[in-house]
Amino acid sequence: MKLRIYLADLTHTGLGIATEAFPLNIGVIGSYCLKNFKDEVDIKLFKFPEELKEAIDKEKPDILGCSNYSWNCNLSYHFANYVKSIDKNILTVFGGTNYPYDAYNQKFFHEKRPNMDIHIFYEGEKSFAKIVERALTCGRDIKKMFVDPIAGCQFLRKDGELICGEKIKRIKYLDEIPSPYSTGLLDKFFSQKLSILVETARGCPFKCNFCNAGDAYYNKVNQFSNEYVAEEFTYVAKMANKFDVRHVTICDNNFGMIPRDAKTAELIYSLKQKYNWPKSVSVWTGKNSKERIIEATRLLGETMNISMAVQSMDPKVLENISRANIKLDHYKAIATELKSQGRAQHGEIISPLPGETFASFTKGFSDLLDTDVTKVENHTIQILHGTPYADNKKYIEDHGYNIKSRIVPLDYGKYTNDSYVFDYEKVGVATKDFSFDEYIKSRKITLIANLCFNGNTFEALKKYVLSIGLKRSDWIKYLYKNMDKFDDPIKKIFKSFIEESKSELWDSEEEMVKYYSKEENYKKLINGEEGRNVVYSHVTMIMADQTQTLIDNVVSLSKEFIESHGIIASYVAPAANINDELEELKKYIKCMTFDSFNFKDNLELSKKFEFKYDIYTWLKTLEDKSLKDFYDEKSVMIDFKYEQDTLDLKRDAFKRYGDTVSGIVKCIQRTGGAQYFHRKAVSI
């Protein structure tokens, strides 16, 4: 009989599909295994826990291999427990980045999970093949599996000793791994509402200490060949077109830095012309060499968002995290160049990093707002295994990290019995230089930036502030400092945001699990009241239900902000003043955002309105010209229409996530922002 192997990259499904990415990780493990053992193994791949349970109940495996990430570690272990309850001789194997790099913590990790037999460390293809080879040799006798070390793997012996096999060298010529796409191994997932993942290279030359890819093991970048990439992408394009899968994520660590990446961009462009795929592309771009990245991806235009992550703008903090950024002037020039090409780009920072103060955080955040990036994201630092933030007690103490646990949004459910399964992450919410109160302040700034700066909802106001000689960072800070002046319905949501930013944090995983295991509290997760992305959910609550009020409030406060800088009603345009200009801008924004989150099919697709100013043309002008120069005595007619791509996006998002607050949060996250649901203005 063939060795029966189940490989699972599980996602929670308690409240919809939590992680809808293709299981590329187990795909490459499976394809490499099939190449080496051919007719000796029978391999099945799984994404959904319900499907895995059904398969186990019908026909138990000899080996269950599960991915291990912060968003599915406990779900994977839940199924390790489940198969062991059926048959103790089923071998359970884990692999993934949610695993310590030092022996002390590795042993502790195993001790907490006695039903996890083996954990692979580093790359998995060769290591898993070594496990299969051992299983075939020992005739499925699980006791014989642990007589000797297994290369690339670790396990606990019965006497409690951690047994570590020798480190396996990385695969240098990645074409050794048959494509799980081209071989058809991943075919079934095209019809399962999943988002496509591909990789063209592995490794990262940078050593950022908050990222487990900064380990020296990964510093060399290895590539798949051009021929391999072309064959795989073409196969994916045909299948994606057939099943109407629109998005692809290239999961290379630094796409655009390798000279070959320009050819990949050309390939994607040609596939888009031939197969109308992909509609959008997500990548993690390089930490420097931005000009090369811009040039390499130029063909893809607005299809691809360019990430311009800096993590911090403070030199001392960058030194602390072993990172170097490009100079701010250089960064601004690149952002301006991307803007001139009509391409979206966003800046990202992480807080609180070692040595960051609230003053240096706000300065760095402001510096990014004053470039031409389209959005700025602030991520709370995740405490990841394989970094000193999780595995080095002295490092944590030296920097005074206050570490909390929180539910990973949507990562919970009931699967094999009456017990609940929760996955959670650890985050740093304060240091000796950055207090918890300052953490909450930084979250409030992040919320205001997500509401008023990110995307194009308030693009007209952002341009207007610049055109009269003021800074966008000062504008955002004014809105932040005057959050108490918003109308009561929005202030109520602001209050909820602050409360939930605190209540989502737990001192221990045990305390959190005990709380949510109570039926009445679990219902809060299922109803989307708790355990959600706090920033996006509150942005969504406002955008979905209070858009018109938000626009009124932001325009009113913007007028106060402008007047506080001595720019008053004496600023006169032909037959108009600053009050008229702001009223026209408010009308324009309301027309653009009207019924953005109405997912029904009976939408009024076109709405025409008259304006005193040609706002449409003004917004298209790259120079910071004054709005008064676009005054028209005869008035201007502007049509606000839903383009077909927007309607398709709405329907696809509704089909995937639903029109609840939780569903709309996912819609905004996965598409890149609320702006993708707005009407497009057309001058007539």
Side-chain angles (χ1 to χ4, degrees):
M1 291 178 61
K2 292 182 179 181
L3 191 70
R4 188 177 300 117
I5 301 171
Y6 291 172
L7 297 177
D9 176 41
L10 296 175
T11 176
H12 282 274
T13 55
L15 188 60
I17 301 171
T19 307
E20 73 274 15
F22 261 65
L24 175 63
N25 47 6
I26 58 172
V28 290
I29 298 287
S31 64
Y32 189 82
C33 191
L34 285 169
K35 171 190 171 183
N36 283 276
F37 301 103
K38 298 179 182 176
D39 298 330
E40 296 181 272
V41 295
D42 176 26
I43 294 178
K44 289 184 172 64
L45 307 184
F46 299 90
K47 186 71 183 179
F48 301 108
E50 298 83 0
E51 186 183 2
L52 177 59
K53 180 181 183 299
E54 183 181 351
I56 292 169
D57 291 345
K58 184 178 180 181
E59 198 170 32
K60 65 185 181 182
D62 298 301
I63 300 176
L64 173 64
C66 293
S67 63
N68 172 24
Y69 303 103
S70 60
W71 56 85
N72 72 354
C73 178
N74 291 333
L75 178 56
S76 291
Y77 190 65
H78 179 77
F79 274 90
N81 287 338
Y82 185 64
V83 295
K84 289 292 189 181
S85 72
I86 295 170
D87 186 346
K88 289 287 186 183
N89 288 313
I90 297 174
L91 185 69
T92 55
V93 180
F94 278 46
T97 57
N98 185 41
Y99 189 63
Y101 284 4
D102 65 290
Y104 175 83
N105 286 298
Q106 287 166 341
K107 183 180 179 184
F108 182 69
F109 194 93
H110 280 266
E111 288 172 341
K112 286 182 67 177
R113 299 164 180 83
N115 281 327
M116 178 185 73
D117 292 323
I118 299 173
H119 202 293
I120 293 169
F121 58 90
Y122 295 132
E123 282 188 348
E125 290 88 358
K126 286 186 175 181
S127 300
F128 190 77
K130 292 289 184 183
I131 294 170
V132 172
E133 182 180 19
R134 175 75 60 87
L136 289 169
T137 303
C138 70
R140 296 178 176 79
D141 186 343
I142 194 169
K143 293 178 182 177
K144 294 180 181 178
M145 289 292 301
F146 308 110
V147 173
D148 298 307
I150 304 172
C153 304
Q154 293 176 320
F155 56 83
L156 274 189
R157 218 164 46 190
K158 278 193 173 181
D159 61 4
E161 183 181 352
L162 179 69
I163 304 301
C164 184
E166 65 178 351
K167 186 188 297 185
I168 291 181
K169 289 183 179 180
R170 293 173 61 206
I171 300 174
K172 184 175 182 180
Y173 302 103
L174 295 177
D175 287 18
E176 289 180 28
I177 308 167
S179 167
Y181 287 108
S182 303
T183 56
L185 194 58
L186 294 174
D187 277 2
K188 75 172 186 177
F189 300 104
F190 281 95
S191 61
Q192 295 185 346
K193 296 183 180 179
L194 299 178
S195 180
I196 295 165
L197 288 181
V198 294
E199 62 176 348
T200 72
R202 290 182 179 179
C204 179
F206 302 101
K207 299 179 181 179
C208 308
N209 76 347
F210 54 80
C211 175
N212 39 37
D215 188 83
Y217 180 83
Y218 297 109
N219 284 162
K220 174 71 175 175
V221 178
N222 299 325
Q223 304 176 46
F224 291 93
S225 70
N226 291 340
E227 294 75 20
Y228 185 107
V229 171
E231 180 184 2
E232 181 167 87
F233 268 82
T234 302
Y235 185 92
V236 168
K238 291 176 181 178
M239 293 292 288
N241 179 268
K242 178 180 177 181
F243 289 96
D244 194 30
V245 183
R246 297 165 172 270
H247 184 75
V248 63
T249 297
I250 300 175
C251 49
D252 303 6
N253 287 104
N254 300 284
F255 187 80
M257 285 190 65
I258 302 171
R260 190 276 302 278
D261 291 338
K263 290 184 179 295
T264 303
E266 290 174 12
L267 170 67
I268 296 171
Y269 180 78
S270 68
L271 293 171
K272 184 173 173 61
Q273 306 310 305
K274 188 172 182 179
Y275 298 104
N276 198 29
W277 177 90
K279 293 285 188 182
S280 58
V281 183
S282 292
V283 297
W284 290 271
T285 60
K287 280 66 176 174
N288 49 33
S289 302
K290 295 293 182 183
E291 301 97 327
R292 182 187 297 171
I293 293 164
I294 293 170
E295 190 57 39
T297 60
R298 187 183 297 272
L299 265 179
L300 296 176
E302 62 183 16
T303 303
M304 178 181 285
N305 285 336
I306 298 293
S307 165
M308 300 179 71
V310 293
Q311 315 314 0
S312 175
M313 302 293 281
D314 184 86
K316 181 61 178 174
V317 176
L318 294 173
E319 182 182 332
N320 290 343
I321 63 175
S322 304
R323 183 185 175 94
N325 282 338
I326 60 175
K327 293 180 180 179
L328 180 60
D329 288 346
H330 198 185
Y331 188 98
K332 287 179 178 178
I334 291 167
T336 302
E337 170 62 19
L338 285 168
K339 180 183 177 183
S340 72
Q341 297 177 23
R343 303 178 64 186
Q345 68 281 353
H346 62 274
E348 295 184 66
I349 58 175
I350 295 174
S351 66
L353 289 170
E356 192 84 79
T357 64
F358 185 68
S360 66
F361 162 80
T362 51
K363 182 182 184 304
F365 199 85
S366 296
D367 286 343
L368 289 178
L369 291 173
D370 289 328
T371 67
D372 279 316
V373 294
T374 50
K375 69 176 181 178
V376 178
E377 295 278 12
N378 171 33
H379 305 289
T380 301
I381 185 168
Q382 285 183 276
I383 307 302
L384 301 175
H385 281 305
T387 74
Y389 302 83
D391 300 334
N392 187 327
K393 186 177 180 181
K394 185 177 186 305
Y395 189 91
I396 296 166
E397 291 175 350
D398 285 349
H399 291 287
Y401 264 101
N402 181 5
I403 296 174
K404 301 286 187 179
S405 296
R406 67 183 182 189
I407 291 277
V408 180
L410 303 182
D411 282 352
Y412 38 80
K414 249 185 204 181
Y415 303 105
T416 63
N417 49 42
D418 290 335
S419 65
Y420 299 109
V421 183
F422 308 98
D423 271 291
Y424 37 84
E425 62 188 1
K426 290 188 175 182
V427 291
V429 296
T431 68
K432 63 184 179 63
D433 302 305
F434 200 105
S435 71
F436 183 71
D437 285 344
E438 290 170 335
Y439 167 77
I440 295 299
K441 289 179 184 178
S442 73
R443 298 274 286 172
K444 289 165 67 176
I445 294 172
T446 302
L447 177 68
I448 290 295
N450 269 273
L451 270 176
C452 303
F453 183 89
N454 293 351
N456 72 351
T457 302
F458 288 99
E459 189 63 32
L461 265 181
K462 286 159 64 176
K463 184 177 177 71
Y464 189 74
V465 166
L466 278 178
S467 72
I468 58 177
L470 300 178
K471 287 184 175 183
R472 294 186 298 189
S473 60
D474 290 337
W475 172 61
I476 289 295
K477 280 188 278 190
Y478 190 88
L479 296 176
Y480 154 70
K481 290 177 180 177
N482 288 278
M483 291 173 72
D484 61 330
K485 291 186 178 180
F486 282 77
D487 285 358
D488 286 343
I490 295 180
K491 279 198 294 186
K492 185 178 179 181
I493 297 174
F494 286 164
K495 182 181 178 183
S496 167
F497 170 78
I498 295 166
E499 290 173 350
E500 199 168 330
S501 291
K502 297 175 181 178
S503 66
E504 72 163 348
L505 304 172
W506 295 82
D507 292 329
S508 72
E509 299 92 330
E510 294 78 13
E511 184 183 7
M512 179 174 59
V513 169
K514 182 179 178 181
Y515 173 82
Y516 284 119
S517 293
K518 294 178 181 178
E519 187 67 29
E520 65 270 23
N521 296 329
Y522 183 74
K523 284 181 180 178
K524 295 176 184 177
L525 295 177
I526 294 300
N527 294 335
E529 299 169 34
E530 295 182 11
R532 54 194 178 181
N533 183 300
V534 179
V535 173
Y536 275 102
S537 61
H538 285 82
V539 167
T540 299
M541 289 160 66
I542 294 172
M543 295 301 296
D545 296 326
Q546 300 292 333
T547 306
Q548 303 303 302
T549 303
L550 174 69
I551 295 167
D552 287 337
N553 290 171
V554 171
V555 171
S556 176
L557 286 169
S558 298
K559 180 186 174 186
E560 285 185 17
F561 165 70
I562 292 166
E563 290 179 343
S564 72
H565 283 77
I567 303 172
I568 56 176
S570 60
Y571 171 89
V572 177
N577 60 33
I578 204 165
N579 294 320
D580 290 332
E581 292 178 354
L582 287 171
E583 284 301 311
E584 288 282 285
L585 292 176
K586 180 166 71 174
K587 178 181 173 183
Y588 184 94
I589 296 167
K590 286 188 172 184
C591 291
M592 184 180 68
T593 58
F594 175 71
D595 69 11
S596 287
F597 295 104
N598 178 357
F599 288 86
K600 298 175 183 176
D601 286 329
N602 60 342
L603 291 170
E604 191 175 351
L605 301 183
S606 174
K607 295 180 75 68
K608 302 176 180 68
F609 295 91
E610 287 188 355
F611 290 83
K612 299 176 184 177
Y613 299 85
D614 188 356
I615 299 174
Y616 173 84
T617 303
W618 173 67
L619 285 170
K620 295 290 183 184
T621 305
L622 291 177
E623 303 85 41
D624 293 327
K625 288 190 174 181
S626 298
L627 181 59
K628 65 182 179 180
D629 297 331
F630 293 81
Y631 177 79
D632 193 315
E633 292 181 356
K634 298 178 182 179
S635 78
V636 177
M637 184 71 73
I638 300 177
D639 187 6
F640 295 85
K641 302 177 70 173
Y642 274 124
E643 295 183 339
Q644 190 59 48
D645 279 355
T646 303
L647 291 175
D648 290 343
L649 180 71
K650 277 174 170 276
R651 293 188 184 108
D652 182 62
F654 174 74
K655 181 174 68 176
R656 285 175 179 269
Y657 312 121
D659 61 353
T660 63
V661 169
S662 295
I664 297 174
V665 168
K666 290 272 284 188
C667 293
I668 291 176
Q669 282 183 287
R670 295 300 186 261
T671 55
Q675 70 271 17
Y676 292 101
F677 296 88
H678 296 336
R679 294 171 180 269
K680 299 292 171 62
V682 181
S683 182
I684 53 177

